[in-house]
Amino acid sequence: MLCIIVVTLLLEATPLLVNAEMVTTCESNVIHRLSCDTGVISVQAAVFGRADSATCSEGTSPQTDCSVVGTIEVIKKRCDGKKVCELNTNIFSLPDSCSSPLKYLQTKYNCIPAIHQVTCEHSLSHLQCDEGQVIFVYAADYGRRDRTTCSYTRPESQIQNTDCSSPTNKVAESCNGKNSCVIKAKNSEFGDPCYGTYKYLEVAYACQYPEVTQEDTVECICPVFTGSSKAMLCFRLSTALLLAAAALLTSSVVHTERVISCDDSHNVQRLSCETGVISVEGALYGRKDRETCSEGRPKEQLVNTECSQPGTLDLLKRRCNGKRLCEYNTNVVRTADPCPGIFKYLETNYTCLPAIHLVVCEHSLADLYCDDGQVIFIYGADYGRSDRTTCSYKRPASQIENLYCSDPTRRVSDSCNGRNRCTVRASNAVFGDPCVGTYKYLEVAYVCEYPGLVPEVSTF
């Protein structure tokens, strides 16, 4: 019986295994891009030079079997553990043993399942595994590589340097082998790779069962039929393999994420879901212990541990539920001072719920539909703009520069909940105009459920 269970586990886990991707770039200054829709990058092989006479040959017969030594180490250090990694050949300052001018950069990589976490500077990164599992950090990087991540209300001068990267082993050294771990994203912890730039910490990790010894293996006996004779196949199977298979099968279970930002009107708190959408489960603006965000603070600023701002949870639910990404700072929730003289922090707990995520540009139609017998349930809807790239094609800069235009709305749920199909127009006439002169879009998250099984999730 045990053998059957093991084989079943491994077969069911097989779809989660990864395939190798390969990218080849011929020109020296062209962008070489690695990306993973799910999971994170793990570089397996890389060549900068030539391995054959056909690739990027342009009809010539160039030198083959030449490569720049150390290429894979450079790319692994730069890209492992990230979801997107862009580079060109200018990053290589290595001895070149390849005389051919027709070199190419070729990288083979896998997208491995991992928890990918981004924490804005001055916030706390919480790495957490289920009971019995421990953290294994694939990679961590402190810096900035785009203008949108952790950019809420930050001045342009603090987000324009996107070539700021500092791969670090400090997260692995602090967290590997632990069930949970807290790291603060700050210069005093990781150094300052780009002075004056507002940075973030990017971490990719997995939750694994601790390694077991050979004494922990289990023995099973399975009948195997060969021709007309019966044979008994005995083998020993490591408990670790069983647990690893089980971990793969349960990796899609919803987990609660926690983000803490110390009180500063400039610090950005970021919630994000790679798959599914945000559902805020708990939020506190105030203080509930003397340890969190206590560094450098006098004792009198930490004594009140029963301090909270009423309405914080409802406010963040309205702002973030149903989105894949939500950024804000404590100015958003600081409607009053719940405890004068106490240094406060914002703590948010959220899950990533499986959902259909739909973005429709202004003046277009959002078509929501379900299979026969199912009905729509809206998790969240927002009409406005929160970045410069979505629905931006050929729009003038003046129409996409306002990134703080958000109008959570019930109109979609009022119109569509309980129906099999629903069409909503993304327009000011339907939703009002939250930011005059800005080209907006409608963002909707919904699920399809059978009547009577609608999830008990509060949209707002």
Side-chain angles (χ1 to χ4, degrees):
M1 179 62 71
L2 178 58
C3 295
I4 296 173
I5 294 172
V6 171
V7 172
T8 302
L9 279 171
L10 294 177
L11 288 175
E12 291 186 10
T14 299
L16 298 175
L17 300 179
V18 294
N19 294 322
E21 304 284 344
M22 184 167 70
V23 179
T24 304
T25 303
C26 298
E27 300 294 332
S28 60
N29 291 318
V30 173
I31 293 175
H32 191 72
R33 178 185 170 91
L34 317 182
S35 65
C36 291
D37 289 333
T38 58
V40 296
I41 296 165
S42 176
V43 176
Q44 304 299 308
V47 173
F48 179 39
R50 297 204 66 84
D52 60 62
S53 59
T55 304
C56 300
S57 62
E58 299 182 355
T60 65
S61 298
Q63 173 190 0
T64 61
D65 195 24
C66 69
S67 62
V68 175
V69 177
T71 298
I72 186 170
E73 287 78 9
V74 171
I75 298 181
K76 283 182 75 68
K77 184 176 181 181
R78 188 179 184 96
C79 298
D80 274 5
K82 295 183 178 179
K83 293 191 69 65
V84 177
C85 184
E86 293 186 351
L87 53 102
N88 61 29
T89 55
N90 290 335
I91 69 168
F92 298 106
S93 57
L94 301 167
D96 188 351
S97 60
C98 188
S99 61
S100 173
L102 296 177
K103 293 189 286 289
Y104 57 82
L105 176 59
Q106 187 174 80
T107 305
K108 293 181 181 179
Y109 67 98
N110 292 334
C111 293
I112 57 176
I115 300 167
H116 180 254
Q117 190 177 83
V118 175
T119 305
C120 304
E121 188 175 351
H122 304 304
S123 292
L124 301 177
S125 176
H126 285 261
L127 286 64
Q128 177 73 49
C129 291
D130 290 341
E131 186 176 352
Q133 293 183 320
V134 296
I135 296 164
F136 178 80
V137 176
Y138 287 135
D141 189 284
Y142 182 65
R144 173 170 289 278
R145 57 184 178 84
D146 64 56
R147 296 190 180 191
T148 55
T149 303
C150 296
S151 62
Y152 182 77
T153 70
R154 306 303 300 197
E156 185 69 23
S157 61
Q158 293 185 5
I159 60 174
Q160 63 184 2
N161 183 356
T162 58
D163 192 23
C164 167
S165 177
S166 179
T168 176
N169 291 324
K170 290 196 173 186
V171 180
E173 291 169 356
S174 297
C175 299
N176 277 0
K178 296 181 179 179
N179 175 258
S180 64
C181 185
V182 178
I183 297 285
K184 187 164 185 175
K186 59 180 181 177
N187 295 336
S188 59
E189 183 74 30
F190 299 102
D192 192 345
C194 41
Y195 181 78
T197 294
Y198 186 66
K199 295 166 282 289
Y200 49 86
L201 175 64
E202 189 173 6
V203 180
Y205 71 99
C207 291
Q208 301 178 344
Y209 288 96
E211 291 185 7
V212 295
T213 63
Q214 289 187 347
E215 287 74 18
D216 294 319
T217 58
V218 294
E219 183 173 303
C220 69
I221 302 175
C222 301
V224 178
F225 296 90
T226 306
S228 60
S229 63
K230 292 184 179 180
M232 300 299 288
L233 174 65
C234 299
F235 64 94
R236 298 175 66 83
L237 183 64
S238 168
T239 304
L241 181 58
L242 288 170
L243 296 176
L248 281 172
L249 293 175
T250 58
S251 61
S252 60
V253 175
V254 173
H255 295 284
T256 299
E257 303 287 344
R258 180 166 60 147
V259 184
I260 296 178
S261 300
C262 304
D263 194 9
D264 184 323
S265 60
H266 301 296
N267 290 343
V268 179
Q269 185 165 102
R270 175 188 173 92
L271 316 183
S272 65
C273 292
E274 293 179 28
T275 58
V277 296
I278 296 165
S279 176
V280 177
E281 305 297 326
L284 167 82
Y285 174 62
R287 177 167 289 278
K288 64 179 181 180
D289 62 58
R290 299 190 181 193
E291 291 75 37
T292 304
C293 294
S294 61
E295 183 180 5
R297 294 288 164 179
K299 290 190 296 184
E300 57 268 21
Q301 293 186 4
L302 311 172
V303 292
N304 186 348
T305 58
E306 296 181 355
C307 160
S308 64
Q309 171 71 54
T312 300
L313 176 60
D314 291 338
L315 190 154
L316 292 184
K317 277 180 170 288
R318 287 196 302 271
R319 188 179 186 92
C320 299
N321 275 10
K323 296 183 178 181
R324 286 191 170 176
L325 172 65
C326 188
E327 290 190 355
Y328 47 86
N329 57 30
T330 51
N331 284 340
V332 169
V333 298
R334 195 190 297 112
T335 55
D337 191 342
C339 42
I342 299 298
F343 186 68
K344 294 167 279 290
Y345 54 85
L346 176 60
E347 178 177 340
T348 306
N349 297 298
Y350 69 100
T351 57
C352 294
L353 298 176
I356 300 167
H357 182 253
L358 188 67
V359 175
V360 180
C361 303
E362 188 175 352
H363 306 305
S364 295
L365 299 177
D367 189 19
L368 289 64
Y369 61 92
C370 295
D371 292 339
D372 289 343
Q374 293 185 317
V375 296
I376 296 165
F377 178 80
I378 304 294
Y379 279 148
D382 189 283
Y383 182 64
R385 173 169 290 278
S386 59
D387 64 59
R388 290 190 175 97
T389 55
T390 304
C391 295
S392 62
Y393 182 69
K394 291 192 174 181
R395 307 303 302 192
S398 61
Q399 292 185 6
I400 60 174
E401 63 186 4
N402 183 356
L403 311 183
Y404 314 118
C405 167
S406 176
D407 187 20
T409 175
R410 290 183 179 272
R411 288 181 179 267
V412 180
S413 57
D414 291 343
S415 298
C416 300
N417 275 359
R419 298 172 60 181
N420 175 259
R421 188 165 195 145
C422 183
T423 301
V424 178
R425 186 179 182 88
S427 69
N428 296 337
V430 175
F431 298 102
D433 192 346
C435 40
V436 176
T438 294
Y439 186 66
K440 295 165 283 290
Y441 49 86
L442 175 65
E443 189 173 6
V444 181
Y446 71 100
V447 291
C448 294
E449 296 286 353
Y450 289 98
L453 297 178
V454 174
E456 296 181 1
V457 177
S458 173
T459 306
F460 300 106

